[in-house]
Amino acid sequence: MKIMVAVKRVVDYAVKIRVKPDKSGVETQNVKMSMNPFCEIALEEALKIKESGLAKEVVAVSMGPSNCVDTLRTGLAMGADRAIHVEASRDLVPLTVAKLLKKLVEIENPGLLILGKQAIDDDCNQTGQMIAGLLGWPQGTFASKVVFDKEKQVATVDREVDGGLETLCLDLPAVITTDLRLNQPRYATLPNIMKAKSKPIKKFTLEELNVEIKSDIEVVQVTEPPKRKAGVILSSVDELIDKLKNEAHVI
Ligand code: AMP
């Protein structure tokens, strides 16, 4: 079985986000970019499945500007066998990413497609569900545990839902999106970073895949969250109760 993993390049989770002065989006110039953390978990899961002998190849795919190649090299250094980059000069909305993934699935024919549950830049949490819909494949979203049965060609997925765990059994091929507790992604070692330099990255253009960048959604503006007021130190519990009652009106 071949596993395809979608990895997105995003502003690093530890960077303090700055909004552009014209409020058109978030500043990405001279900002550290990394693989989306949920995509690292997706890739780790694919590598673990391969290492357990249940898959033969892991293909990492990314869509976006030319520096997505850096993210793909990180994926190759973690252990992906090869990578595919779909070059696009603009940010892509989830539906466009899902349509591109569908084209790549038709070319590559994977038995499993793994994505992060959400990208930490747009927080959309849509792409996995959309690609499953476009392909007509079963989906196990927010996976916190994945177990394969090679003979029956099914994947059992635990999902953390309100108040407990839901267990789903998916016929393959299927789409899985990863939650935080699924695994702990590995670090790329120096020898693997060196090896990754010679692993192949195939390029496609949007025209080659015949997918138009078209969005029915317009970002009106992006603003920073309101500044929090400074805290105050109170001298007694009575004073606290008084403030909660008479200022915050919560008791
Ligand atoms: P989202 O629906 O935007 O929150 O993204 C969910 C997941 O879809 C991400 O964790 C990735 O696995 C995948 N994804 C979204 N955008 C891209 C992209 N431009 N390139 C590769 N994968 C993507």
Side-chain angles (χ1 to χ4, degrees):
M1 179 175 74
K2 186 192 289 182
I3 306 178
M4 186 180 274
V5 185
V7 295
K8 186 174 186 188
R9 180 175 182 270
V10 295
V11 174
D12 188 89
Y13 74 94
V15 167
K16 189 171 178 326
I17 298 295
R18 276 179 297 122
V19 172
K20 288 183 186 166
D22 66 359
K23 297 189 177 173
S24 62
V26 160
E27 196 59 76
T28 52
Q29 292 292 318
N30 302 319
V31 167
K32 184 178 179 215
M33 305 292 282
S34 300
M35 187 186 295
N36 179 45
F38 291 106
C39 301
E40 286 183 333
I41 296 171
L43 183 53
E44 175 65 33
E45 197 61 22
L47 296 172
K48 280 167 99 174
I49 295 168
K50 185 186 161 195
E51 285 161 0
S52 66
L54 295 167
K56 287 212 160 53
E57 194 181 31
V58 174
V59 183
V61 304
S62 194
M63 290 105 193
S66 52
N67 30 24
C68 285
V69 166
D70 300 343
T71 308
L72 288 171
R73 287 275 170 229
T74 305
L76 293 169
M78 282 174 72
D81 297 284
R82 60 191 173 86
I84 299 175
H85 175 214
V86 181
E87 183 129 35
S89 53
R90 295 204 342 221
D91 282 345
L92 303 172
V93 293
L95 185 58
T96 308
V97 175
K99 286 179 183 168
L100 289 167
L101 279 173
K102 181 169 185 272
K103 296 281 177 164
L104 296 180
V105 164
E106 285 162 5
I107 296 168
E108 291 286 334
N109 219 359
L112 185 64
L113 177 59
I114 314 185
L115 301 92
K117 75 167 180 182
Q118 77 193 57
I120 61 164
D121 53 359
D122 59 19
D123 277 340
C124 278
N125 175 13
Q126 294 171 2
T127 313
Q129 294 87 329
M130 284 176 170
I131 177 65
L134 291 177
L135 290 167
W137 287 8
Q139 57 181 301
T141 53
F142 301 7
S144 60
K145 187 174 171 197
V146 176
V147 178
F148 275 91
D149 186 324
K150 199 177 179 184
E151 264 167 35
K152 292 191 195 147
Q153 283 290 296
V154 293
T156 306
V157 173
D158 282 357
R159 312 177 62 236
E160 286 176 9
V161 291
D162 275 355
L165 274 186
E166 180 182 59
T167 303
L168 302 177
C169 197
L170 313 177
D171 288 337
L172 299 182
V175 175
I176 291 176
T177 74
T178 57
D179 212 335
L180 206 59
R181 274 174 285 275
L182 179 60
N183 60 45
Q184 182 68 45
R186 68 195 66 188
Y187 288 106
T189 60
L190 189 58
N192 285 344
I193 293 173
M194 301 311 286
K195 264 193 232 161
K197 292 190 178 175
S198 55
K199 288 186 181 176
I201 300 182
K202 191 170 168 49
K203 268 199 193 303
F204 284 104
T205 60
L206 296 168
E207 294 73 39
E208 280 169 328
L209 295 178
N210 200 17
V211 172
E212 231 188 306
I213 305 192
K214 187 170 124 320
S215 178
D216 301 331
I217 302 167
E218 183 198 350
V219 176
V220 180
Q221 69 169 17
V222 176
T223 52
E224 287 187 13
K227 297 251 181 305
R228 288 179 66 178
K229 283 195 207 146
V232 285
I233 296 175
L234 304 178
S235 52
S236 68
V237 171
D238 287 344
E239 198 184 344
L240 171 66
I241 292 171
D242 178 64
K243 281 193 181 291
L244 290 175
K245 242 188 214 164
N246 301 318
E247 281 182 26
H249 303 291
V250 289
I251 56 172

